[in-house]
Amino acid sequence: MTAAAPKLYRAIIDTLQEEITSGKYRPGERLPPERELVERFDVSRLTLREAMIGMEIMGLVEARRGSGVYVTERPGATVSPSDLDIGAFELTEARRLVEGEAAALAAVTADPADVAELREILDQMIAENERELHDEVADRDFHLRIAQATRNAAIVLLMKTLWDVRHRSPLCEKMLERSRRSGVKPRIDDHRAIVDAIAAADAHGARKAMRDHLGRVIDNLLAATEMDGIERVRAEAAELRERAGRFAAI
C-alpha cells in the first residue's frame, strides 16, 4: 500500500523548521509576509495559516499582533508536526460538504417534532451568546440534531466524529480558541435560516443555508488568524497618528 502524502501544512512546517535550525531565520527575526510564503509554497492562505499556528504550538514562532510572525528566542519543539492532527480550516471544509447534504436530507425527512426541537436549541444558543458562554454546547447540539433528523445512523456517527475532532486536535483547538478570543460567536441568523429551510421541506435551501453558514465560519477563521494584513496596517496608521500628534505639539 502506498503511504499517504504528508499534509501540506506539515510540509511547510518541516521546511521552515529546517531553515530556522540552519540559521536562515534567526531568533527574533520576522518570517516573510504571508503573501510571499503563499507564493513560495504554492498553497492557499488557509493552509499557510494552519502551518503558522502549528509552528506556534511547537514553540518555533510567535505571532505578534499587527506585526507578523517571529522566530522564538529559544525554539524547542515539545510537539511534532505529526501530533498536530487536523486544522480548523480542513475540518470546516469537510463539515461544509457533509453537513450541507445532511441538512438537505433532513429537509425531506424531518417531522414537526424535529423542527420544534431545533428551534428550542436555537433559543439556547441565543441565551449562551447573551451570557458570553464559549463552550458551544447548544451549537453542537443543533448540528447533531439535524443529523438525527436524517434518520441515518451513519450520518449521525460521522457528524459526531467531525465535532469531536474539534477538541481532540491541538491545531484545531488552537485555531478555534483564537477565533473565540476575537469575539466570534455562533451566528443566530445563519442557524435560523437553516431551520426555516428544513421546516419548509426545502432541501436546496437547507443545503445552501448550511454551506453558506460554514463558509462564513471559514471567513471568520481567516479574519481571526490574520498574520500581517489589516492589523499591521492599523498598527502602522496608529503609529503615524501618534507621531503626527507629537509633531503638532512642538
Side-chain angles (χ1 to χ4, degrees):
M1 179 184 275
T2 305
K7 294 178 182 293
L8 286 175
Y9 77 81
R10 284 177 55 183
I12 297 170
I13 291 175
D14 289 342
T15 300
L16 292 176
Q17 185 176 16
E18 222 174 82
E19 292 176 348
I20 289 170
T21 303
S22 70
K24 179 175 179 179
Y25 299 113
R26 299 183 180 279
E29 185 176 345
R30 183 177 182 271
L31 291 183
E34 179 179 277
R35 63 182 180 281
E36 290 184 20
L37 292 174
V38 163
E39 290 175 6
R40 175 186 172 187
F41 291 105
D42 192 22
V43 295
S44 68
R45 288 187 301 158
L46 305 183
T47 298
L48 186 70
R49 302 275 176 87
E50 285 179 338
M52 292 298 105
I53 292 173
M55 290 175 71
E56 277 191 81
I57 294 172
M58 293 171 64
L60 294 169
V61 300
E62 61 177 352
R64 298 179 189 172
R65 190 171 179 82
S67 179
V69 178
Y70 292 78
V71 178
T72 53
E73 292 299 328
R74 292 183 180 176
T78 56
V79 177
S80 73
S82 60
D83 293 329
L84 295 172
D85 205 1
I86 295 170
F89 292 127
E90 189 176 8
L91 175 67
T92 308
E93 285 174 341
R95 284 185 58 205
R96 192 165 181 259
L97 290 172
V98 173
E99 295 198 39
E101 295 311 306
L105 180 56
V108 176
T109 57
D111 60 26
D114 295 319
V115 174
E117 192 166 343
L118 284 170
R119 295 203 188 279
E120 285 179 16
I121 297 172
L122 184 59
D123 288 339
Q124 294 168 21
M125 204 181 302
I126 293 169
E128 285 185 0
N129 279 358
E130 289 173 348
R131 298 202 305 272
E132 299 291 334
L133 297 178
H134 302 294
D135 50 15
E136 300 178 323
V137 172
D139 194 13
R140 182 180 189 275
D141 288 348
F142 181 90
H143 288 268
L144 291 184
R145 191 66 188 80
I146 289 174
Q148 291 162 359
T150 67
R151 309 291 189 267
N152 185 310
I155 290 176
V156 174
L157 177 61
L158 182 56
M159 199 84 82
K160 284 181 177 176
T161 301
L162 287 172
W163 273 81
D164 288 346
V165 166
R166 290 161 66 92
H167 304 293
R168 280 205 317 265
S169 164
L171 178 57
C172 187
E173 184 63 26
K174 178 79 172 178
M175 296 171 79
L176 290 168
E177 177 197 345
R178 185 169 292 185
S179 182
R180 289 190 292 268
R181 282 204 316 265
S182 72
V184 172
K185 301 176 183 177
R187 302 175 66 107
I188 302 305
D189 289 347
D190 282 8
H191 290 81
R192 183 174 286 114
I194 295 166
V195 181
D196 289 346
I198 291 173
D202 179 0
H204 173 75
R207 179 188 294 111
K208 183 177 185 305
M210 181 65 80
R211 289 175 63 87
D212 286 351
H213 162 58
L214 290 169
R216 280 187 278 272
V217 170
I218 290 176
D219 289 341
N220 287 338
L221 284 166
L222 271 171
T225 57
E226 191 73 55
M227 292 192 304
D228 56 8
I230 266 181
E231 288 302 329
R232 188 179 65 187
V233 171
R234 285 176 178 163
E236 289 172 352
E239 184 181 348
L240 287 172
R241 282 195 298 271
E242 185 183 349
R243 285 177 60 193
R246 287 201 304 269
F247 290 146
I250 295 174

